[in-house]
Amino acid sequence: MNKLQRWPLMAILFTIITFAFFVACTGRANGGSIFGSESDDSVAPVLTTRGPMMIMEGEPHDSSFLTKGIKYSDNSGLARLTIDSSAVDWNRRGIYNVVYAVTDSAHNVTTVTEQLRVVGKDEKIIYLTFDDGPSVCTDDILRILKEENVKATFFVTAQFTPYLSKLTDIARDGHEVAIHTYSHNFKMYQSIESYFEDLNKIKDVIIKYTGKSPRIMRHPGGSSNSIFKKHNRDPQFMDRLCVALLDSGYQFVDWNLDSRDASGNNVPVNVIVRSACQTAHHIQCLLMHDTGAKRTTVQALPQIIRFFKQQGYEFGVINSVDYVCWHGGAQKLERLNRLRAKQPAVTPLKETSRPKPVKVDTSASAPTPEQKPTPKPKAADSTVSPKAKKTHARPHYEAPDSVM
């Protein structure tokens, strides 16, 4: 074969080699390979759940109950959320595991297991709550709780800076550290923005000392207080604030049992015991205080605990946004829903980092809450149908209209 005959063959071979080299380089530049479509992405998706969940035994629910407050994202922009709640018996009291899994297009998986408590209709639970600390009394309160082997919820402030390190001790002992206020200055009620400014400051303090970002809070004065009127002329301000808190992922907690230790400084022990030791509700949230002016509360605490033990109460901690104890009860819920429908609340919640939006195929049918995680999904999916019917699926324990 002479040179003229070999030239077309050489030209063809050169073209093939050049094309192969171009494809190989392009595949590597895009993080892939000419030998397959698998990505080199090894970054797992980010998944944020809302924490422990609660529901009343036999209460109606739909998929929105399990997906409320769930946030997930991935660097690829593609992710699929699946939920396995097959272990839950919705009609039988108990504590069950719900498994959340997010899978991205490269088959990286992030899994979080959350507890769901099905509360029995005949269960008796007492939530011991302490406002305004930590303080000089915190160590004594923690000692008594440890001796009696019970847990409590502390709605904390930053009023007494020498005792802020006690927040670590509270969390270490298995109690819940929740938000009350940073300053306890009622000027925070001047606007929703000023309230959130104060809230975010105490939230940062709690994170610093416990490593946990709280979602449970209690308004200074309670959600039905009238003190706000000294600083805000909007008669609906407290309701607007409540909507803003709920829409930002918080749950506010009032009380349906009052120790009356806030009626003065160092109220007599017998008055506190008599006020606190009541059994009007199966699910009770007892208001007490943790400050240097409430030393008699510490003295009354052992008697209060023993009374509820004798009455067969379990001592719980408030760690689920599903627990509802509001002044005004169902009437408040209806009022807040009407307000939200009329004018959505502003939610100036500080976000330290915003996840990248996730691409979701909204045309896909909504899986049931019992759907199990799929190891290697081939397409994006959605867990909630846009037309999913919303039902009230939270244990709602109605508190008195005014307990101040």
Side-chain angles (χ1 to χ4, degrees):
M1 183 180 296
N2 58 38
K3 292 183 179 180
L4 292 176
Q5 292 174 320
R6 287 197 300 268
W7 172 247
L9 179 60
M10 294 174 64
I12 293 172
L13 289 174
F14 178 81
T15 301
I16 293 173
I17 293 172
T18 302
F19 177 77
F21 180 79
F22 174 79
V23 171
C25 291
T26 302
R28 290 191 183 93
N30 292 329
S33 166
I34 63 172
F35 301 107
S37 60
E38 291 292 326
S39 171
D40 290 337
D41 178 15
S42 61
V43 180
V46 175
L47 171 60
T48 303
T49 58
R50 61 186 170 112
M53 295 169 283
M54 292 177 65
I55 190 170
M56 189 65 73
E57 183 179 30
E59 187 163 350
H61 63 279
D62 60 17
S63 60
S64 66
F65 173 70
L66 291 173
T67 57
K68 183 177 181 181
I70 302 299
K71 297 180 181 179
Y72 59 100
S73 62
D74 185 65
N75 61 335
S76 69
L78 295 172
R80 180 185 182 186
L81 171 68
T82 54
I83 304 170
D84 180 7
S85 63
S86 58
V88 180
D89 185 341
W90 302 90
N91 298 305
R92 184 176 182 180
R93 56 192 270 180
I95 298 177
Y96 306 92
N97 286 334
V98 177
V99 180
Y100 293 85
V102 174
T103 309
D104 66 13
S105 57
H107 313 313
N108 300 303
V109 182
T110 298
T111 301
V112 175
T113 300
E114 292 288 5
Q115 287 191 338
L116 187 155
R117 177 171 183 172
V118 178
V119 181
K121 294 180 180 179
D122 60 342
E123 285 192 73
K124 297 164 69 174
I125 305 173
I126 179 72
Y127 294 103
L128 304 178
T129 69
F130 298 90
D131 287 10
D132 296 349
S135 75
V136 66
C137 290
T138 303
D139 279 343
D140 287 333
I141 293 173
L142 291 177
R143 174 183 53 79
I144 293 169
L145 294 174
K146 183 176 293 186
E147 289 172 353
E148 296 291 343
N149 193 29
V150 300
K151 303 302 180 186
T153 302
F154 291 76
F155 291 93
V156 302
T157 74
Q159 295 180 95
F160 315 115
T161 53
Y163 301 99
L164 287 180
S165 63
K166 300 299 178 184
L167 297 176
T168 304
D169 300 334
I170 295 170
R172 179 202 61 208
D173 286 358
H175 308 293
E176 192 69 16
V177 179
I179 293 172
H180 191 36
T181 166
Y182 183 85
S183 63
H184 218 300
N185 185 331
F186 289 100
K187 288 183 179 180
M188 72 183 73
Y189 288 126
Q190 289 178 338
S191 68
I192 290 178
E193 289 76 14
S194 61
Y195 187 90
F196 270 86
E197 182 180 354
D198 183 278
L199 180 148
N200 285 324
K201 288 174 69 176
I202 187 60
K203 177 182 175 182
D204 288 343
V205 171
I206 294 173
I207 293 172
K208 174 182 177 180
Y209 286 99
T210 71
K212 182 178 178 180
S213 181
R215 289 291 176 181
I216 309 298
M217 55 79 57
R218 174 175 283 162
H219 302 87
S223 71
S224 62
N225 80 78
S226 58
I227 303 172
F228 81 92
K229 295 179 181 178
K230 295 181 179 180
H231 307 284
N232 196 302
R233 295 182 179 181
D234 179 3
Q236 289 187 302
F237 174 76
M238 285 305 299
D239 281 356
R240 295 187 193 281
L241 177 58
C242 288
V243 171
L245 287 163
L246 295 173
D247 287 350
S248 296
Y250 291 96
Q251 179 59 270
F252 62 92
V253 178
D254 291 317
W255 56 91
N256 58 7
L257 185 58
D258 191 350
S259 69
R260 302 292 177 181
D261 67 348
S263 60
N265 291 336
N266 291 315
V267 175
V269 171
N270 66 313
V271 173
I272 295 174
V273 172
R274 185 170 62 250
S275 300
C277 295
Q278 306 290 333
T279 58
H281 310 280
H282 271 206
I283 311 295
Q284 304 204 111
C285 187
L286 173 60
L287 174 66
M288 295 179 284
H289 292 81
D290 171 15
T291 73
K294 311 296 178 186
R295 295 178 188 271
T296 51
T297 300
V298 179
Q299 297 170 22
L301 184 57
Q303 296 181 59
I304 294 171
I305 292 173
R306 289 162 195 166
F307 170 82
F308 285 108
K309 282 183 176 180
Q310 291 170 0
Q311 298 299 316
Y313 278 81
E314 171 194 341
F315 292 81
V317 295
I318 305 174
N319 60 5
S320 173
V321 295
D322 298 314
Y323 173 66
V324 177
C325 182
W326 298 348
H327 295 159
Q331 291 75 24
K332 175 175 291 237
L333 176 64
E334 294 175 4
R335 197 167 66 244
L336 297 185
N337 284 339
R338 287 196 301 268
L339 182 61
R340 181 183 284 112
K342 181 187 296 186
Q343 182 178 348
V346 178
T347 55
L349 173 62
K350 180 181 66 177
E351 294 288 350
T352 55
S353 61
R354 294 185 180 273
K356 184 179 180 180
V358 177
K359 296 180 181 179
V360 179
D361 180 10
T362 56
S363 64
S365 59
T368 64
E370 287 74 26
Q371 180 177 351
K372 295 185 177 181
T374 305
K376 291 187 177 183
K378 296 181 180 180
D381 197 4
S382 172
T383 54
V384 183
S385 168
K387 298 182 180 180
K389 181 180 179 182
K390 293 185 178 181
T391 59
H392 177 56
R394 297 183 294 183
H396 193 99
Y397 309 127
E398 184 170 342
D401 288 335
S402 61
V403 185
M404 296 297 296

